[in-house]
Amino acid sequence: MEVRSLCCGQKGRPREFDVDQALGQALRVFWQRGYDGASMTELTAAMGITKPSLYAAFGNKEALFRKALDLYENEKMAFMDAALAEPTSRQVAERLLRGVLAMQTSSCDPKGCLGVMSSVAGSQEADSIRQWVIERQQSSRAALIVRLERAKEEGDLPTDIDPDALARYMTAVVQGLTLQARAGASAGELESLVDMAMRTWPGR
């Protein structure tokens, strides 16, 4: 169902806009520019609203970013939950990596990972955002560790495999894919990275 908001626009006149659409545009700006790089001027221009309307509908820049990251994870990273539900660790890894690959080779979305970009934001203003993003990433990695521990208990992974280290390896591969995509790597180059990671996967 379409959600609309009635907020004050220029000259004090009411301005109606689609909150979901505006948030989607804010997500693209944050995704392209990072939290630090996204100015309020760029955000309001992309969203098609004034600063008072942004504050009324979303709160401040930090609150807007938090909502945008929620949208990013719910829409763009939904394949991660599906990956964890796969029956074997190899299928978990492949679905996760192929999902990242598909997102990074899409012509519809910016390249790179919003979470990775925001976890290395440099300004003091962004410190609370950086810490919050890191906590969310740790939560996601913890879920992957639990799944890999289960795979080890089921005999799907060798007994000498450390699930924590394997999860860190997977995180490093994912981050490498997103960073190389942002740096201009081709779809073929990115796919070769996924293929290499799968060739070295220790599970069946």
Side-chain angles (χ1 to χ4, degrees):
M1 181 176 68
E2 185 179 76
V3 179
R4 303 189 74 83
S5 175
L6 195 63
C7 297
C8 293
Q10 295 177 343
K11 301 180 181 179
R13 299 175 64 183
R15 179 172 181 174
E16 189 179 48
F17 65 93
D18 187 316
V19 172
D20 292 335
Q21 184 177 12
L23 182 59
Q25 292 303 316
L27 168 58
R28 292 189 67 84
V29 175
F30 282 127
W31 198 345
Q32 291 170 331
R33 306 281 289 164
Y35 180 79
D36 278 337
S39 69
M40 291 296 287
T41 299
E42 287 176 302
L43 288 165
T44 52
M47 297 165 75
I49 62 177
T50 62
K51 286 184 180 179
S53 295
L54 185 154
Y55 292 134
F58 301 103
N60 58 17
K61 179 182 176 183
E62 181 174 328
L64 175 63
F65 177 84
R66 290 173 183 263
K67 291 181 175 68
L69 186 59
D70 284 339
L71 177 62
Y72 174 81
E73 292 186 347
N74 289 336
E75 289 193 354
K76 306 301 182 181
M77 304 297 289
F79 62 85
M80 294 190 69
D81 288 337
L84 293 176
E86 291 288 348
T88 70
S89 66
R90 176 174 290 277
Q91 288 171 298
V92 168
E94 181 146 24
R95 184 153 186 180
L96 194 156
L97 293 178
R98 297 292 177 193
V100 174
L101 178 64
M103 185 170 68
Q104 296 305 317
T105 55
S106 168
S107 61
C108 301
D109 296 317
K111 306 304 180 189
C113 174
L114 179 59
V116 173
M117 291 169 58
S118 304
S119 66
V120 295
S123 74
Q124 185 174 359
E125 175 194 4
D127 186 61
S128 63
I129 284 292
R130 181 169 57 253
Q131 294 303 320
W132 178 68
V133 170
I134 289 172
E135 288 174 5
R136 289 177 71 131
Q137 290 175 332
Q138 290 173 338
S139 176
S140 296
R141 190 170 64 83
L144 179 57
I145 292 171
V146 169
R147 179 64 186 86
L148 295 176
E149 286 174 340
R150 194 184 95 197
K152 185 175 179 179
E153 291 170 0
E154 294 172 346
D156 181 41
L157 285 171
T159 57
D160 61 344
I161 288 294
D162 179 359
D164 181 84
L166 188 55
R168 287 185 181 278
Y169 166 72
M170 284 295 297
T171 300
V173 174
V174 168
Q175 291 175 343
L177 279 169
T178 61
L179 290 173
Q180 291 203 32
R182 192 167 181 85
S186 69
E189 290 169 334
L190 297 176
E191 187 165 7
S192 70
L193 291 176
V194 173
D195 291 341
M196 178 61 71
M198 292 314 305
R199 280 198 294 272
T200 60
W201 187 257
R204 296 189 303 237

